[in-house]
């Protein structure tokens, strides 16, 4: 960069037009040799506008050497400097800083409040592959070295680290809420956001109809077999065989997938989940001759799952409706001067797009032609439209109120503001509260104990009875009653209701809040609200709508 010193001089200016011009020149030339000097400006400068522009610029740098340079500046910066500005780049950047967890923990514990706040945000945004031992050490340090000044910051940081440990333990397991499952169609979708593919939607509808039909047929069969004298011409053996065939068919049609999943999980090392317990209890009921109860166990479980899915879908729809900021298209300006509507994902950094009044800004960028006003209320909560002009940055998700804007794209759609917000919303349930994490750990200890006690209950009493002269070979007289009691104990003691209800309650809470226009970033933050005694609101656009109406004349 030939005019490096001139650019640095411009960046130190208090004239924001000069600063923006210098930043635009850096973007166009793509030379990152100036990065160390830019980081020095951030460490020394207190001007909010310069900090905001430089932070946005450096957050887009993806070169591998940048991470090393940034962390070197951060670690060696003197106390009292603008470390918070560099930390902000760490959590806004697409680069993974997970290997520096211990550095961020140290800054959270040692730096001033603003820098500590930024350090805690960095830690909460780390999602890389960090060794378990390193995470354990970080948690131990945060718990043992915290003080009154930073204790509040740890309310979100420690749960996030504990959640990372939990995910490491469960990364090979299928999450109950299907976060990492293959979809019902057999396609691998990775981490699912939203409702999944169309074939999965059809599969959910099929499961719903199958459950309803299964319950209806079961009730009819149960009533028919209990009408006195209806089958008096049949012998008891024949009736028992007919009853077995009918309820076995109902069981195979409705519960086949649950049993197969239980068998699959058995080979994956996840034997003691609720599907395994339900399968053992229902198959055991068939063995002891309680055919209706075998079907009832499975059908009640499936009905519970149906209600759970309904509640989750309703909450997810509420959240999606609240954050209706995803742009449907982008007007890309071609070299021949024509405009073409394209998917925002297809727009590249450096492309030029046109935003007309009433349209959403599809990607982050800088205005190169035109001026107007933007409605940013859905992103910032600010009710007043923001006036924008030449060389000003605009963020995706805002709506053009007036003026045609020609924008040069600075971020790909996947890294744009709107994508990051939507990802945050869709993953709100992944940030688990302390209660949820306790329940998950509790179930892992509790379930094996319950299964062990059920086995003891089924075997021990008949063996004890054998010592008193009972005929141990009499299955229905000695073994069957105790196996039945053990299976009852297994079903009653199954923790699936507890394991399901707690996370479902939090997710329903997030969904209910979204119907009132409140976005909660995760279950851990929802739980924190119970501890709040003072809340500070921005009035306009939050407590009020900034839309006066005539109430009386």
């Amino acid at each position: 960069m030939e005019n490096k010193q001139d650019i640095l001089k411009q960046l130190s200016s208090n004239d924001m037009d000069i600063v923006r011009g210098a930043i635009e020149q850096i973007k166009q030339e793509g030379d990152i040799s100036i990065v160390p000097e830019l980081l020095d400006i951030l460490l020394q400068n207190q001007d909010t506008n310069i900090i905001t522009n430089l932070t946005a610029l450096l957050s887009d740098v993806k070169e591998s050497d940048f991470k090393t340079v940034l962390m070197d500046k951060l670690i060696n910066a003197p106390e009292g400097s603008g470390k918070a500005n560099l930390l902000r780049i760490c959590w806004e950047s697409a680069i993974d800083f997970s290997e520096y967890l211990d550095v961020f923990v140290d800054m959270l514990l040692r730096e001033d409040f603003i820098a500590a706040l930024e350090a805690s945000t960095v830690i909460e945004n780390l999602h890389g592959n960090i060794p378990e031992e390193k995470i354990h050490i970080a948690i131990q340090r945060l718990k043992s070295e915290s003080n009154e000044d930073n204790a509040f910051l740890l309310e979100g940081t420690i749960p996030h680290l504990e959640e990372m440990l939990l995910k490491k333990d469960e990364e090979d397991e299928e999450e109950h809420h299907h976060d990492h499952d293959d979809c019902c169609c057999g396609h691998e979708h990775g981490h699912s956001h939203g409702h999944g593919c169309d074939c999965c939607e059809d599969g959910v509808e099929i499961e719903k109809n199958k459950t309803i039909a299964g319950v209806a047929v079961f009730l009819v069969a149960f009533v028919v077999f209990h009408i006195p004298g209806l089958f008096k011409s049949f012998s008891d053996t024949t009736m028992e065989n007919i009853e077995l065939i009918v309820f076995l068919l109902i069981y195979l049609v409705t519960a086949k997938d649950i049993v197969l999943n239980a068998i699959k999980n058995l080979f994956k090392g996840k034997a003691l989940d609720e599907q395994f317990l339900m399968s053992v209890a229902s198959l055991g009921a068939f063995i002891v001759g309680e055919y209706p109860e075998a079907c009832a166990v499975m059908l009640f479980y499936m009905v519970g799952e149906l209600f759970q899915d309904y509640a989750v879908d309703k909450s997810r729809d509420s959240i999606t409706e609240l954050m209706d900021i995803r742009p449907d298209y982008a007007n890309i300006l071609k070299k021949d001067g024509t405009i073409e509507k394209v998917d925002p994902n297809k727009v590249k950094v450096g492309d030029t797009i046109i935003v007309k009044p009433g349209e959403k800004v599809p990607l982050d960028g800088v205005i190169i032609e035109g001026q107007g006003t933007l409605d940013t209320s859905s992103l910032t909560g600010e009710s007043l439209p923001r006036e924008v002009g030449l060389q000003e940055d605009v963020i995706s998700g805002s709506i053009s109120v007036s003026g045609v804007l020609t924008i040069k794209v600075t971020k790909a759609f996947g890294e744009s503001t709107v994508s990051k917000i939507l990802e945050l919303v869709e993953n709100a349930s992944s940030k688990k509260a302390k209660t949820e994490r306790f329940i998950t750990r509790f179930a892992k200890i509790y379930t094996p104990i319950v299964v062990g006690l059920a086995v003891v209950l089924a075997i021990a009493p008949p063996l004890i009875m054998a010592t008193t002269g009972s005929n141990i070979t009499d299955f229905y007289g000695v073994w069957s009653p105790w196996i039945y009691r053990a299976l009852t104990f297994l079903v009653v003691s199954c923790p699936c209701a507890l394991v399901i209800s707690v996370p479902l309650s939090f997710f329903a809470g997030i969904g209910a809040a979204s119907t009132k226009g409140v976005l909660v970033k995760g279950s851990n933050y929802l739980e924190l609200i119970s501890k709040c005694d003072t809340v500070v609101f921005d009035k306009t656009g939050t407590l009020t709508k900034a839309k006066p109406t005539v109430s009386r004349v």
Side-chain angles (χ1 to χ4, degrees):
M1 189 173 285
E2 297 177 0
N3 54 349
K4 192 173 182 179
Q5 294 303 320
D6 291 340
I7 289 179
L8 290 172
K9 192 173 182 181
Q10 292 172 25
L11 287 170
S12 301
S13 169
N14 289 324
D15 188 329
M16 285 312 300
D17 288 334
I18 295 176
V19 172
R20 289 193 188 99
I23 288 175
E24 185 60 29
Q25 186 173 345
I26 295 170
K27 287 181 179 179
Q28 290 174 355
E29 296 189 17
D31 186 352
I32 67 164
S33 64
I34 198 174
V35 163
E37 286 86 349
L38 298 181
L39 294 174
D40 285 334
I41 292 175
L42 280 176
L43 285 170
Q44 299 161 12
N45 203 299
Q46 300 300 318
D47 188 289
T48 305
N49 288 322
I50 294 176
I51 290 171
T52 301
N53 281 283
L54 274 182
T55 301
L57 168 68
L58 291 169
S59 296
D60 288 337
V61 179
K62 298 180 180 64
E63 281 74 9
S64 56
D65 293 340
F66 172 65
K67 178 165 64 173
T68 306
V69 174
L70 173 59
M71 292 307 299
D72 184 62
K73 287 283 185 184
L74 186 59
I75 292 169
N76 296 311
E79 285 190 28
S81 60
K83 286 187 179 182
N85 300 330
L86 302 194
L87 286 165
R88 190 174 301 119
I89 295 173
C90 291
W91 66 263
E92 287 186 354
S93 173
I95 297 174
D96 180 32
F97 288 88
S98 296
E99 63 198 84
Y100 294 100
L101 172 62
D102 53 341
V103 175
F104 299 130
V105 169
D106 195 61
M107 292 187 174
L108 194 160
L109 295 170
R110 302 282 179 266
E111 297 295 333
D112 60 81
F113 181 78
I114 300 299
L117 177 61
E118 296 292 350
S120 69
T121 306
V122 174
I123 294 172
E124 290 179 36
N125 282 275
L126 295 179
H127 294 284
N129 186 21
I130 306 175
E132 286 190 33
E133 184 180 356
K134 202 169 184 179
I135 300 176
H136 278 297
I137 292 172
I139 294 173
Q140 188 176 1
R141 281 196 63 195
L142 291 173
K143 287 182 176 179
S144 61
E145 299 179 32
S146 63
N147 53 49
E148 292 182 359
D149 295 330
N150 56 36
F152 173 75
L153 301 177
L154 305 186
E155 293 285 355
T157 307
I158 291 178
H160 176 73
L161 292 173
E162 290 176 340
E163 184 65 25
M164 291 178 75
L165 284 176
L166 197 60
K167 284 183 178 179
K168 280 182 173 292
D169 293 338
E170 298 177 346
E171 60 186 4
D172 294 327
E173 299 179 359
E174 298 175 358
E175 289 292 328
H176 182 80
H177 293 292
H178 316 298
D179 289 334
H180 299 280
D181 280 352
D182 292 353
C183 67
C184 57
C185 58
H187 299 161
E188 177 66 51
H189 290 289
H191 191 86
S192 174
H193 302 299
H195 293 284
C197 63
D198 291 338
C199 52
C200 288
E201 300 255 350
D202 295 338
V204 171
E205 190 65 27
I206 290 171
E207 286 297 316
K208 174 184 173 182
N209 293 336
K210 187 168 71 173
T211 301
I212 295 172
V215 170
V217 173
F218 168 77
L219 291 175
V220 171
F222 184 80
V223 170
V224 167
F225 281 112
H226 285 78
I227 295 177
L230 185 61
F231 299 98
K232 60 182 179 180
S233 60
F234 294 98
S235 66
D236 291 343
T237 303
T238 303
M239 273 304 304
E240 187 175 343
N241 290 335
I242 293 173
E243 190 177 13
L244 171 61
I245 291 170
V246 170
F247 284 109
L248 188 58
L249 287 173
I250 295 173
Y251 184 85
L252 290 175
V253 172
T254 57
K256 177 188 68 176
D257 292 338
I258 296 174
V259 176
L260 290 176
N261 284 335
I263 295 171
K264 289 178 183 177
N265 290 340
L266 192 61
F267 287 105
K268 290 180 180 179
K270 187 187 176 184
L272 302 179
D273 64 353
E274 67 271 15
Q275 292 184 339
F276 174 80
L277 296 178
M278 294 296 104
S279 299
V280 170
S282 57
L283 291 173
F286 270 112
I287 292 172
V288 298
E290 299 294 341
Y291 313 136
E293 293 190 28
C295 292
V297 166
M298 279 300 189
L299 287 171
F300 286 142
Y301 172 71
M302 292 171 69
V303 169
E305 290 286 294
L306 191 65
F307 280 116
Q308 177 199 347
D309 291 340
Y310 172 76
V312 169
D313 287 341
K314 189 174 180 181
S315 297
R316 188 184 286 116
D317 290 341
S318 299
I319 296 170
T320 304
E321 186 178 348
L322 170 65
M323 297 305 297
D324 185 22
I325 57 175
R326 187 188 297 276
D328 299 319
Y329 62 88
N331 299 315
I332 190 167
L333 182 63
K334 292 186 170 183
K335 292 182 179 179
D336 60 3
T338 59
I339 298 174
E340 181 185 359
K341 279 188 179 182
V342 299
D343 188 309
N345 283 296
K346 296 181 179 179
V347 181
K348 300 176 182 177
V349 174
D351 285 347
T352 302
I353 58 175
I354 305 294
V355 178
K356 303 171 186 177
E359 294 182 333
K360 294 174 185 174
V361 177
L363 300 103
D364 294 358
V366 60
I367 298 173
I368 57 174
E369 186 180 329
Q371 59 182 11
T373 54
L374 294 176
D375 178 4
T376 62
S377 58
S378 60
L379 302 172
T380 64
E382 177 54 61
S383 58
L384 295 176
R386 171 194 165 199
E387 294 186 1
V388 291
L390 200 62
Q391 295 301 319
E392 287 200 60
D393 291 323
V394 293
I395 56 177
S396 53
S398 51
I399 300 172
S400 176
V401 178
S402 64
V404 177
L405 304 176
T406 305
I407 300 170
K408 184 176 181 181
V409 177
T410 57
K411 288 184 180 180
F413 182 70
E415 298 173 8
S416 63
T417 302
V418 67
S419 292
K420 289 182 178 179
I421 292 175
L422 289 170
E423 183 180 358
L424 176 71
V425 172
E426 291 167 345
N427 290 327
S429 61
S430 66
K431 292 189 174 181
K432 295 184 179 181
K434 192 179 294 183
T435 308
E436 286 183 274
R437 292 192 303 277
F438 167 76
I439 289 297
T440 304
R441 291 196 184 98
F442 169 76
K444 284 187 174 182
I445 299 170
Y446 171 81
T447 308
I449 294 174
V450 167
V451 173
L453 290 174
V455 172
V456 172
L457 185 59
I459 297 175
L463 293 177
I464 294 172
M465 290 168 66
T467 62
T468 61
S470 297
N471 183 9
I472 197 171
T473 60
D474 182 8
F475 179 81
Y476 287 100
V478 177
W479 290 94
S480 182
W482 288 104
I483 292 175
Y484 182 83
R485 292 186 182 103
L487 294 173
T488 304
F489 172 77
L490 196 63
V491 173
V492 172
S493 303
C494 178
C496 62
L498 187 63
V499 173
I500 292 170
S501 63
V502 173
L504 187 58
S505 299
F506 279 104
F507 194 77
I510 294 172
S514 67
T515 62
K516 306 296 183 184
V518 179
L519 175 62
V520 182
K521 291 198 298 181
S523 301
N524 51 336
Y525 300 105
L526 193 65
E527 189 174 51
L528 274 176
I529 295 175
S530 64
K531 301 178 182 178
C532 290
D533 55 11
T534 305
V535 180
V536 179
F537 285 102
D538 172 41
K539 181 182 74 67
T540 306
T542 304
L543 294 181
T544 61
K545 294 183 179 179
K547 294 180 181 178
T549 57
V550 177
S551 59
R552 186 185 307 169
V553 177

